Amino acid sequence: MTLSVGCSVCDDNARLGSLPPRELIAADRYWRAAHAFGTGTPGWLVLMPLRHVTAVAELTDAEAAVLGEWQVRLSRALHAVTGCVKTYVAQFAEAEGFAHVHFHIIARMDDLPEERRGPRVFTMLGRSEEHDLNITRRDEIAVEVRRYLEARGWPVTSPFRRSRI
């Protein structure tokens, strides 16, 4: 696994064995799913490669082969856990300190105001700590998503840990 010094995603990937549920919903040998921070949106997930990658074109064929499976699995889990009407999937990796490729998988609820739908949902990211979804709730959602995945026999364990996630 290639990590980059100073990359917050790589820093967390280096600590897989000690991450809280919100930072390690599930992982396989290529990807890790976490609940996003800086948003008051329950079910705003992030899917990140374990290897430092700054452009989608840099993904290996093996990483790319399971990317779509993860996106669909996490979307199905969000539908079941949050009751969302759809999920948004987006990838930019342009924010300061977040150049590591990551996919946003966002639970879009039925009551989301029209002015925040589609790409405008990103106006809900980068909120201050007092407007962020609290850590306890992010952990609860992470555990519910993990249980959903486990119940369907989908991988939720990391090859870097012996215990269940």
Side-chain angles (χ1 to χ4, degrees):
M1 175 168 60
T2 306
L3 301 175
S4 179
V5 176
C7 171
S8 62
V9 173
C10 288
D11 291 346
D12 283 346
N13 286 345
R15 304 180 305 115
L16 281 180
S18 62
L19 294 174
R22 65 189 169 278
E23 292 295 336
L24 185 56
I25 294 171
D28 66 10
R29 57 192 285 201
Y30 305 114
W31 297 94
R32 173 174 63 92
H35 196 291
F37 58 89
T39 177
T41 306
W44 187 312
L45 305 185
V46 184
L47 181 64
M48 304 148 283
L50 293 178
R51 185 175 65 86
H52 187 71
V53 177
T54 59
V56 172
E58 296 172 4
L59 293 173
T60 66
D61 289 344
E63 290 164 336
V66 295
L67 172 60
E69 290 177 15
W70 272 113
Q71 291 172 339
V72 171
R73 288 174 182 163
L74 293 169
S75 292
R76 288 176 181 163
L78 286 173
H79 277 264
V81 169
T82 69
C84 63
V85 295
K86 62 171 61 181
T87 53
Y88 295 149
V89 177
Q91 190 278 326
F92 302 107
E94 296 286 359
E96 181 70 31
F98 295 94
H100 190 119
V101 163
H102 58 282
F103 293 84
H104 295 265
I105 303 171
I106 308 159
R108 204 279 273 163
M109 303 306 286
D110 189 43
D111 62 351
L112 184 67
E114 191 69 36
E115 66 271 10
R116 296 206 185 253
R117 292 187 182 183
R120 294 179 306 268
V121 75
F122 280 88
T123 63
M124 300 172 65
L125 190 61
R127 291 178 166 213
S128 61
E129 191 172 327
E130 64 269 8
H131 293 101
D132 194 2
L133 193 63
N134 70 53
I135 288 172
T136 301
R137 184 65 184 126
R138 282 185 281 162
D139 279 344
E140 290 169 353
I141 292 167
V143 169
E144 290 177 44
V145 168
R146 181 185 314 141
R147 285 184 184 143
Y148 178 91
L149 296 171
E150 285 178 326
R152 277 137 193 90
W154 293 335
V156 295
T157 57
S158 167
F160 307 103
R161 293 178 59 180
R162 291 184 187 266
S163 62
R164 300 287 290 172
I165 296 175

